[in-house]
Amino acid sequence: NELSKFLLGFVAAIQKVFPDACRETLALLAGPVLAPTTLLASTLTNDLELIEQEFIIVLDDIHLVQNQSVLEVLNALLRHPPLSMQLVLIGRRDPGISIATLRGKGQLTEIRMRDLRFSIAEVKELLRLTTTQKFDDKIVSTLVDKSEGWGTGLRLAVLAVRGQAGLGEGR
C-alpha cells in the first residue's frame, strides 16, 4: 500500500528471473523525491517491454491494495501490457482497478470461488482415486456440503477416513 515499496518489490521479483531488468524504474525510485506516478508507471511499462522472454508475475492478496498510486500503476500496466508479461492478480474480491474493459475485450480470464469448488462428481472421483473405500451418494453429498467443495476440507476428510473400515458406506 505504499507505491515505492510496491514497485521495489515488483521489480525485485522480476529481477529474480531477469537480473538486468527495470534499471530505469529503479533509478527513479532511488531519487531523493518520488517521481510522479504517471512517470513511474510509464517507465516501468517501458522497462518491462524490453524483456523479450515471456514471463508471469503473480500478485497475491490484491484485495488488500488500497493505495491509489499503486492502483494507478496497475491500471497503467493493464492498459498497456508488455507483450511478454502475463499479470495474475489473486484476491478475495475484485481489485480496485479497471477490469471491466479487459473483460469486455476478452483479455481477462477470471477464476471465481465457484470455479475452485469441487462438484459432487469431482468429489466422487477424488474419493475413488485416494481411498479404497466405497462411499454412497448421501455421504458424498454431505461431504461436499460440509466442506463447501473446498479442496483442503476434502483432503482433510480423506485423510481422516483412510484406514477406517466401514466409514464409506451409509449406516
Side-chain angles (χ1 to χ4, degrees):
N1 265 322
E2 185 182 321
L3 183 59
S4 60
K5 287 181 182 178
F6 173 81
L7 288 173
L8 285 169
F10 192 94
V11 169
I14 290 169
Q15 287 185 331
K16 289 267 188 187
V17 179
F18 307 105
D20 295 326
C22 301
R23 296 282 183 207
E24 295 296 320
T25 302
L26 284 177
L28 285 176
L29 291 170
V33 176
L34 190 61
T37 303
T38 53
L39 178 60
L40 286 165
S42 63
T43 303
L44 177 63
T45 301
N46 291 337
D47 278 348
L48 294 173
E49 196 64 53
L50 296 173
I51 301 172
E52 294 178 7
Q53 185 179 342
E54 290 185 359
F55 67 100
I56 299 169
I57 189 145
V58 178
L59 301 176
D60 195 4
D61 289 333
I62 195 68
H63 62 280
L64 298 175
V65 176
Q66 303 297 316
N67 181 288
Q68 197 57 42
S69 297
V70 174
L71 296 173
E72 286 176 35
V73 168
L74 290 173
N75 273 321
L77 285 173
L78 293 173
R79 273 193 309 278
H80 308 287
L83 294 175
S84 58
M85 182 184 81
Q86 295 220 11
L87 183 61
V88 176
L89 305 176
I90 301 172
R92 294 176 188 255
R93 52 188 177 277
D94 286 349
I97 55 177
S98 304
I99 59 173
T101 303
L102 297 171
R103 187 181 289 129
K105 291 180 180 178
Q107 296 176 321
L108 176 71
T109 300
E110 295 178 89
I111 302 172
R112 298 293 183 167
M113 287 184 358
R114 67 182 171 275
D115 301 317
L116 298 174
R117 292 185 175 139
F118 281 64
S119 68
I120 289 177
E122 291 167 331
V123 171
K124 284 181 181 179
E125 181 66 6
L126 174 71
L127 293 170
R128 186 186 70 75
L129 293 171
T130 58
T131 69
T132 57
Q133 298 172 344
K134 301 286 185 214
F135 291 85
D136 68 28
D137 289 347
K138 183 178 179 186
I139 289 177
V140 173
S141 180
T142 300
L143 185 56
V144 171
D145 287 343
K146 294 286 185 190
S147 68
E148 297 180 349
W150 287 105
T152 302
L154 294 167
R155 179 73 176 134
L156 291 172
V158 166
L159 291 172
V161 299
R162 271 196 181 154
Q164 295 186 24
L167 284 179
E169 297 86 30
R171 292 186 197 202

